[in-house]
Amino acid sequence: MTLQCINPGDLPTPQTYTQVVVATGTRLVFVAGQEPEDINGKLVGRGDLAAQARQVFANLGRALAAAGAAPKHVAKITIYVVDYRRDEHLPIIEAARVTLFGDHKPVDTLVGVATLSPDYLIEVDAVAVIDG
């Protein structure tokens, strides 16, 4: 599996993601939106975006592992955030994101939404590419 990360010279170079990822592999892994829930389906961190973001990215890592994928295999993520305010929320989300991805920067789309499940503030889904 190969991911080629490209930041074209005529586009801004983002610090936390890559503008374009070209993925070569034999299997696609689609991970459903991961919510800030513990193993029993109970909300973690009511009213606390940082706690919820940490839980969501931890859940994403577990979902990837179940499919035989690792964070480095992720080509794209979509992040949904309730009442998204970039300056306030992005640093919180990025701090949680780096705990899973480290220096790997998949393509991402961040979408501000009006609501998720009651009291849920963030959800993240992913697409990974692996061999085998």
Side-chain angles (χ1 to χ4, degrees):
M1 183 282 314
T2 302
L3 293 181
Q4 178 187 8
C5 297
I6 303 169
N7 283 309
D10 55 351
L11 289 175
T13 301
Q15 293 187 11
T16 59
Y17 64 94
T18 300
Q19 291 284 8
V20 179
V21 172
V22 178
T24 305
T26 58
R27 289 179 50 209
L28 292 175
V29 177
F30 297 90
V31 179
Q34 296 300 300
E35 296 181 320
E37 296 177 342
D38 64 19
I39 194 167
N40 299 310
K42 301 294 183 193
L43 174 64
V44 171
R46 185 177 312 277
D48 183 345
L49 179 61
Q52 289 192 22
R54 286 190 301 272
Q55 185 69 42
V56 162
F57 283 103
N59 289 351
L60 180 58
R62 286 189 277 280
L64 289 166
K72 68 180 182 179
H73 299 129
V74 174
K76 182 181 189 328
I77 62 174
T78 305
I79 306 167
Y80 305 90
V81 181
V82 173
D83 297 327
Y84 179 60
R85 292 180 300 281
R86 180 185 175 97
D87 291 344
E88 179 182 341
H89 294 152
L90 192 57
I92 294 167
I93 295 164
E94 291 308 321
R97 175 184 170 148
V98 75
T99 63
L100 176 64
F101 290 110
D103 291 335
H104 178 56
K105 298 177 182 177
V107 170
D108 78 10
T109 300
L110 199 154
V111 181
V113 297
T115 189
L116 292 167
S117 295
D119 297 321
Y120 289 49
L121 302 174
I122 186 170
E123 184 172 331
V124 179
D125 64 33
V127 178
V129 180
I130 58 177
D131 287 326

